[in-house]
Amino acid sequence: MAKGFRSDLSRRERQIMDILYRQGRASAAEVLAGLPDPPGYSAVRALLRILEEKGHVRHEGEGKRYVYLPMQPRQNAAQSALRQVLHTFFGGSIENAVATLLSDQDTQLSEEELARLADLIDQAREGEKQP
Amino acid sequence: MAKGFRSDLSRRERQIMDILYRQGRASAAEVLAGLPDPPGYSAVRALLRILEEKGHVRHEGEGKRYVYLPMQPRQNAAQSALRQVLHTFFGGSIENAVATLLSDQDTQLSEEELARLADLIDQAREGEKQP
DNA sequence: GCTGTCATGCTAAAATTTTAGCATTACCTT
DNA sequence: AAGGTAATGCTAAAATTTTAGCATGACAGC
């Protein structure tokens, strides 16, 4: 799987991969429901088949219908996506990215969430100190 | 500007926008140099013109050549990109995203960077406590 | 059995994207 | 002046993506 595979995807391919990662797995009908400016059912199925041919997706039978899953593990894809955003918009800086998130009204954290985040940082610092 | 405008861009459009955000501004030649599997110079120019027609980009004369800049401010685009990744891969959770970054070998933080990050969280907690 | 609904496999046309090339201009160097 | 290089404006063809529709199969309900 190419490093920047998400930027190698066409518009619709990308939209579909995002739905599959968000939901973990989805039928063609579920993918259709999640698409912006959705085409018809058969258009979605054709795209899913293409994504499968390209190796980005696989399907499993579930009852009498297919359900599609991303081939690349979620964790890998998530890391890759995060790195790409850091690189593109934040010069690679985690600090700047976190600052942006913390200052963003739409992603406001509760007291409890901030506490857990602080714990996370502390653990990373402890791990850093022990050689 | 549509909310998820990056997922509305075609493959090459998206690659070009990312270069413009990373570099802040770029000539056609610079964009060309940054593209994976690059086409010819005139292909890049044509794409920049299309992006400009669509309103994503504007150009300024700089000496005897054009330099292109994104229309949407970097901060907005950055926030939007981060939110999209959070939503797609982390169920909207900042904590999970930060945990992933901290556990990622490729984005390892120094002691000093962790300290600054901890400060950032503390400031957000202070801000949270004062009504 | 028939009808309706949901599904798949497949095709190919429509739409969009991507690409390169031509004509022209502006310079620098010989 | 001629040649070379870099640039722009523009066009349209090539390539790719996106889309819908047909044929078929599997069920369920009447």
Side-chain angles (χ1 to χ4, degrees):
Chain A
M1 196 64 72
K3 177 179 176 179
F5 103 95
R6 253 167 110 243
S7 68
D8 292 338
L9 297 177
S10 69
R11 186 176 68 96
R12 280 292 194 212
E13 287 172 340
R14 178 189 176 75
Q15 288 169 351
I16 289 173
M17 289 311 301
D18 283 356
I19 290 164
L20 293 181
Y21 277 118
R22 187 181 315 142
Q23 298 181 26
R25 60 201 282 118
S27 65
E30 284 162 349
V31 169
L32 174 60
L35 282 176
D37 195 26
Y41 183 65
S42 61
V44 173
R45 288 184 301 106
L47 285 164
L48 285 165
R49 191 166 20 228
I50 287 160
L51 280 168
E52 187 157 8
E53 280 163 16
K54 289 186 176 181
H56 297 309
V57 160
R58 66 185 167 95
H59 74 257
E60 294 174 353
E62 184 173 284
K64 57 188 175 181
R65 57 181 192 165
Y66 287 178
V67 158
Y68 296 85
L69 305 93
M71 283 296 293
Q72 189 182 18
R74 188 198 196 88
Q75 182 70 6
N76 290 359
Q79 280 191 346
S80 178
L82 267 179
R83 277 193 216 122
Q84 210 262 332
V85 170
L86 281 202
H87 184 54
T88 299
F89 295 102
F90 299 101
S93 162
I94 296 182
E95 186 187 341
N96 286 347
V98 172
T100 292
L101 284 173
L102 293 180
S103 67
D104 186 349
Q105 302 295 348
D106 281 357
T107 57
Q108 205 77 309
L109 290 179
S110 67
E111 168 98 42
E112 188 177 310
E113 284 169 320
L114 283 167
R116 287 209 304 272
L117 202 48
D119 282 351
L120 212 51
I121 310 292
D122 286 346
Q123 282 168 46
R125 293 174 87 179
E126 288 301 318
E128 188 82 13
K129 280 173 183 168
Q130 296 170 357
Chain B
M1 196 66 68
K3 179 182 175 179
F5 103 95
R6 254 167 107 243
S7 69
D8 292 338
L9 297 177
S10 69
R11 184 175 70 99
R12 279 295 194 209
E13 286 173 340
R14 178 191 175 74
Q15 287 168 351
I16 289 173
M17 290 310 303
D18 283 354
I19 289 164
L20 292 180
Y21 277 117
R22 186 181 314 143
Q23 297 180 24
R25 59 200 285 121
S27 65
E30 284 161 349
V31 169
L32 174 61
L35 283 175
D37 194 26
Y41 183 64
S42 63
V44 173
R45 289 185 300 106
L47 285 163
L48 285 164
R49 192 164 22 221
I50 286 161
L51 280 168
E52 185 157 9
E53 279 162 20
K54 289 187 177 182
H56 297 309
V57 160
R58 66 184 166 96
H59 74 257
E60 293 174 353
E62 184 173 287
K64 57 189 176 183
R65 57 180 194 164
Y66 288 178
V67 158
Y68 295 85
L69 304 94
M71 282 296 293
Q72 190 182 16
R74 188 198 195 87
Q75 182 69 6
N76 290 358
Q79 280 190 347
S80 178
L82 266 178
R83 276 193 216 122
Q84 209 262 332
V85 170
L86 282 202
H87 183 55
T88 299
F89 295 102
F90 300 100
S93 161
I94 296 181
E95 186 188 341
N96 287 346
V98 172
T100 292
L101 285 173
L102 293 181
S103 68
D104 186 348
Q105 303 295 348
D106 281 357
T107 56
Q108 205 77 306
L109 289 179
S110 68
E111 166 101 42
E112 188 177 308
E113 285 168 321
L114 283 166
R116 286 208 304 271
L117 203 49
D119 283 352
L120 213 53
I121 309 294
D122 285 347
Q123 280 169 47
R125 293 174 86 178
E126 289 301 319
E128 188 80 16
K129 280 173 181 167
Q130 297 170 0

